[in-house]
Amino acid sequence: MRILGIESSCDETAAAVVESGRIVHSSIIASQIDVHRIFGGVVPEIAAREHLKVIAQIVDEALAEASCDLADIDGIAVTRGPGLIGALLVGISYAKGLAMAAAKPLIPVNHVHAHIHGAALGLPIDIGELMPCLALVVSGGHTNLYYMTGPTQMDLIGHGIDDACGESFDKVAKLFGLGYPGGPHIERLAKQGDPKRFEMPRMVDDSRMLAFSYSGLKTHMVNLRHRLGAKITDQDIADLCAGFQEEALGQLVRKLKQASRVYKARSLLIAGGVAANQRFRELVQAELDLDAYFPQLRYCSDNAAMIAALGYYNFNDHREPNSVFQTYDWDAFSRYQDE
Ligand code: KG4
Ligand code: ZN
């Protein structure tokens, strides 16, 4: 079964054709990052307009690269939320139009849940074979930990209570005048720094508390930055980045360890932009006993292959004749709403 996926929740317009939830026939991504860079973050109204400019072409490219047309597609999966509402509406409206015109099922997909499927794309086995598992989504908007018992069965067991992990990388990078997004800049500088030089606070250190917190660590970085003042050197910045990164990632590893003691999991799936961090991958491999699966780099950040993948499993869950996937009267949900 082939699903066409469409993603437009933030600053990437993407379309993909995926078979059986994991075989990627095409995955096209148009990034708007250059348009937003000068603002130091994504501007929602500009994002929506940029999606509108390219969405038709991106969908056409995804179909062409997969050597198929709409007639060969079994369903259209689209990101319903969470995301920027104007940006979401572009993808959703386009997908609704396409589904109605071609009389195809339309499958709304939760973007954060879909990230998890990014970690299984291209594997030789079905994601179902990794269950039960712990799944961590670490992105610019979410730090969510799930216990999964099936491809669509996600129980949220821990989440961020203030800044998301990726968001703290972005804010700390901004503090030092590094570029946006901040994660890759911090990772690069951290390689040249001494993570032990500056002491970092351990947030949410209570081992019974399955929650994530990054605003205290960020504030600590702001204070250190002010204390060093104008005489801050490149080496100081590298040491600060190394210390921050070690603690930011260390918190994720501590919480994963904690969860693995409570929940019986046979594997660990890690996804979202921060999953691209090589130091994070090293720490997880070194400190956790579970088989860990990270996405290929192109599936860490936003893409439509992960949307098509989860869309496939959602579709399989509800294939009765009067399927929910024949209805079009549902709406987007924003970054601050839950499904
Ligand atoms: O999943 P994503 O592409 O977008 C959403 O937020 O949905 O995640 C982007 C986040 C940004 O905050 C970015 O700084 C972070 O992922 N990121 C990284 C790295 N690459 C991207 N954080 C740490 N290390 C990286 N190498
Ligand atoms: Zn995302």
Side-chain angles (χ1 to χ4, degrees), residues 302-318:
D302 291 347
N303 65 87
M306 66 185 197
I307 304 298
L310 176 53
Y312 165 81
Y313 293 101
N314 282 346
F315 188 53
N316 271 341
D317 280 355
H318 304 270

Side-chain angles (χ1 to χ4, degrees), residues 115-189:
H115 265 295
I116 299 167
H117 282 258
L121 286 171
L123 286 182
I125 50 165
D126 189 273
I127 193 171
E129 292 180 44
L130 306 177
M131 306 292 153
C133 75
L134 287 169
L136 178 68
V137 181
V138 231
S139 68
H142 296 85
T143 318
N144 280 7
L145 181 60
Y146 299 91
Y147 182 59
M148 291 178 70
T149 49
T152 59
Q153 305 304 308
M154 289 119 178
D155 272 347
L156 185 65
I157 58 168
H159 60 85
I161 53 175
D162 42 50
D163 290 358
C165 181
E167 185 179 1
S168 73
F169 274 83
D170 294 334
K171 288 180 174 170
V172 169
K174 204 167 183 178
L175 192 64
F176 299 120
L178 309 172
Y180 172 84
H185 292 285
I186 293 199
E187 181 176 11
R188 180 175 45 80
L189 288 178

Side-chain angles (χ1 to χ4, degrees), residues 30-335:
S31 172
Q32 309 173 357
I33 215 133
D34 291 334
V35 184
H36 298 289
R37 191 167 276 130
I38 52 164
F39 302 103
V42 179
V43 183
E45 176 67 20
I46 297 177
R49 287 166 193 265
E50 292 294 315
H51 286 308
L52 203 51
K53 278 188 203 159
V54 299
I55 191 152
Q57 184 193 334
I58 295 299
V59 169
D60 287 351
E61 272 181 47
L63 290 169
E65 195 172 302
S67 305
C68 60
D69 54 35
L70 268 184
D72 307 311
I73 296 294
D74 299 286
I76 299 172
V78 64
T79 303
R80 180 177 183 187
L84 305 171
I85 211 81
L88 287 165
L89 284 176
V90 175
I92 291 172
S93 308
Y94 194 80
K96 283 183 178 176
L98 215 53
M100 276 181 183
K104 299 288 177 186
L106 179 67
I107 312 157
V109 168
N110 178 306
H111 177 93
V112 182
H113 295 174
H115 265 295
I116 299 167
H117 282 258
L121 286 171
L123 286 182
I125 50 165
D126 189 273
I127 193 171
E129 292 180 44
L130 306 177
M131 306 292 153
C133 75
L134 287 169
L136 178 68
V137 181
V138 231
S139 68
H142 296 85
T143 318
N144 280 7
L145 181 60
Y146 299 91
Y147 182 59
M148 291 178 70
T149 49
T152 59
Q153 305 304 308
M154 289 119 178
D155 272 347
L156 185 65
I157 58 168
H159 60 85
I161 53 175
D162 42 50
D163 290 358
C165 181
E167 185 179 1
S168 73
F169 274 83
D170 294 334
K171 288 180 174 170
V172 169
K174 204 167 183 178
L175 192 64
F176 299 120
L178 309 172
Y180 172 84
H185 292 285
I186 293 199
E187 181 176 11
R188 180 175 45 80
L189 288 178
K191 289 195 181 112
Q192 296 143 32
D194 171 8
K196 298 218 166 71
R197 182 173 150 206
F198 294 98
E199 209 177 321
M200 296 289 155
R202 278 194 162 201
M203 308 309 296
V204 281
D205 203 26
D206 184 337
S207 65
R208 292 157 306 178
M209 193 178 172
L210 216 46
F212 302 90
S213 167
Y214 285 95
S215 71
L217 182 58
K218 174 198 66 188
T219 305
H220 182 70
M221 296 299 288
V222 172
N223 292 339
L224 287 172
R225 170 72 192 87
H226 287 159
R227 205 181 305 156
L228 287 162
K231 58 182 192 327
I232 194 166
T233 64
D234 286 350
Q235 192 56 51
D236 292 336
I237 295 177
D239 293 344
L240 285 165
C241 285
F244 163 78
Q245 175 176 271
E246 212 60 13
E247 180 47 36
L249 301 177
Q251 182 185 130
L252 298 174
V253 171
R254 280 200 303 278
K255 294 296 159 185
L256 284 170
K257 274 189 183 165
Q258 219 173 292
S260 70
R261 276 183 231 119
V262 180
Y263 292 87
K264 288 246 161 309
R266 80 151 57 148
S267 57
L268 173 60
L269 294 174
I270 299 193
V274 183
N277 187 293
Q278 290 304 322
R279 178 67 186 143
F280 184 31
R281 293 179 181 218
E282 277 169 27
L283 285 170
V284 168
Q285 306 292 356
E287 299 206 19
L288 282 142
D289 282 337
L290 295 166
D291 279 341
Y293 295 85
F294 286 86
Q296 297 169 40
L297 285 185
R298 67 194 136 146
Y299 302 132
C300 284
S301 47
D302 291 347
N303 65 87
M306 66 185 197
I307 304 298
L310 176 53
Y312 165 81
Y313 293 101
N314 282 346
F315 188 53
N316 271 341
D317 280 355
H318 304 270
R319 284 222 258 149
E320 63 273 17
N322 286 324
S323 159
V324 289
F325 303 121
Q326 308 299 337
T327 62
Y328 306 100
D329 59 348
W330 48 265
D331 244 321
F333 61 90
S334 81
R335 177 171 170 173

